[in-house]
Amino acid sequence: MTSYAERSTLIHFLLFYYLFNQAMDSIVIQIASLHHVGYAHDISALIEESAKKRGTGIAKRSPSYIIQKINERKAIIAVTRQGELVGFCYIESWGNTKYVANSGLVIHHKFRNQGVAKKIKKLAFHHSIKMFPEAKLFGLTTSLPVMKINSELGYEPVTFSELTDDDAFWKGCQSCVNYEILQTKNRSNCLCTGMLYNPAVNKGKKKHFWNKSKWLSRWATIKNKMGDNKLSI
């Protein structure tokens, strides 16, 4: 026979599970299409706001750039069934489509910690593979949750020299607050961690389990190289 405390815990868990599923059922995650163009200004503002709050990492993107990605079907958007913007991510290709990046992943603060980012990232990942089956997928991030999602998808931490050498990609970092650091290091490293998914290597390979200590160690190594011994999570 269960105690009152155990029953209360179970009830709270079931209530949380129900509300969580209700919230997720009200969110639609899909490849962005023409009728999502009206969200461009809100998406641009959300990207800028996220960059300011984190103080690192996300390059600014104009509404016209967002519209371009939507028109090219190179964007993933999440909205509620009532039409409220939840999150966004876009796809870029570099070096004659030899390299592809899923960039600008942002979630509105009201919808964080609900698994939305992971679902957006997964859809962007599979959509990228479908559009560019031979390309290497890569990314730069300072976000530990994004590192975790990437690791589960099969990405590996790499040096910047293994990423695209396309100047157009690195030029996109100019609006990031850490761009000066990147330039000082001659594009060899900055506060971001480089990650790469190589389809030729990963085909048939088992997916990775998230190893937090491994990634913390990797992040700490990079920051120490920058002369910053403070590790914030």
Side-chain angles (χ1 to χ4, degrees):
M1 191 168 181
T2 58
S3 66
Y4 172 79
E6 289 172 328
R7 289 197 301 273
S8 178
T9 300
L10 178 60
I11 290 170
H12 279 89
F13 171 78
L14 292 173
L15 178 61
F16 170 80
Y17 183 78
Y18 171 77
L19 292 174
F20 176 81
N21 280 286
Q22 285 290 100
M24 288 307 299
D25 286 343
S26 70
I27 296 173
V28 180
I29 301 171
Q30 61 190 304
I31 298 168
S33 58
L34 291 178
H35 71 272
H36 293 116
V37 166
Y39 290 97
H41 282 84
D42 289 340
I43 292 167
S44 178
L46 183 60
I47 291 174
E48 184 172 359
E49 178 190 355
S50 180
K52 285 179 179 178
K53 283 186 176 179
R54 286 166 54 182
T56 60
I58 305 176
K60 296 177 184 177
R61 291 293 179 253
S62 67
S64 60
Y65 185 84
I66 300 299
I67 291 172
Q68 177 190 334
K69 289 299 167 186
I70 291 174
N71 288 337
E72 293 173 346
R73 291 187 63 78
K74 293 179 180 177
I76 308 298
I77 193 169
V79 296
T80 66
R81 296 192 185 279
Q82 291 72 40
E84 187 177 1
L85 177 65
V86 176
F88 186 79
C89 179
Y90 58 87
I91 298 168
E92 298 175 299
S93 59
W94 309 100
N96 295 319
T97 71
K98 291 180 180 178
Y99 290 87
V100 169
N102 300 154
S103 306
L105 177 61
V106 286
I107 306 296
H108 193 284
H109 67 87
K110 286 170 56 178
F111 301 97
R112 289 174 187 163
N113 302 313
Q114 296 182 29
V116 180
K118 188 172 184 177
K119 291 188 176 183
I120 291 177
K121 187 71 175 176
K122 280 188 174 181
L123 181 54
F125 175 78
H126 292 297
H127 187 47
S128 297
I129 289 176
K130 186 177 289 186
M131 292 186 75
F132 307 98
E134 303 301 321
K136 295 178 181 179
L137 275 64
F138 76 100
L140 292 174
T141 184
T142 58
S143 167
L144 196 60
V146 172
M147 292 182 201
K148 177 179 178 181
I149 296 169
N150 283 347
S151 177
E152 291 172 351
L153 290 171
Y155 285 74
E156 296 278 0
V158 294
T159 61
F160 283 17
S161 62
E162 295 179 64
L163 307 179
T164 180
D165 60 359
D166 192 324
D167 289 333
F169 167 76
W170 297 101
K171 187 177 180 181
C173 295
Q174 287 181 352
S175 59
C176 175
V177 295
N178 298 318
Y179 183 68
E180 187 177 341
I181 297 173
L182 182 68
Q183 288 292 88
T184 302
K185 295 293 182 177
N186 197 28
R187 295 196 326 209
S188 62
N189 61 58
C190 70
L191 299 188
C192 285
T193 295
M195 302 189 72
L196 183 73
Y197 175 90
N198 187 340
V201 173
N202 287 70
K203 196 171 291 184
K205 192 175 179 181
K206 290 184 178 179
K207 288 186 178 179
H208 296 240
F209 288 101
W210 168 243
N211 185 330
K212 184 174 182 179
S213 61
K214 168 186 171 183
W215 293 102
L216 287 177
S217 175
R218 166 67 175 165
W219 203 1
T221 299
I222 291 173
K223 296 194 80 173
N224 284 334
K225 285 181 179 179
M226 304 300 300
D228 181 359
N229 294 317
K230 295 179 181 179
L231 184 61
S232 57
I233 303 171

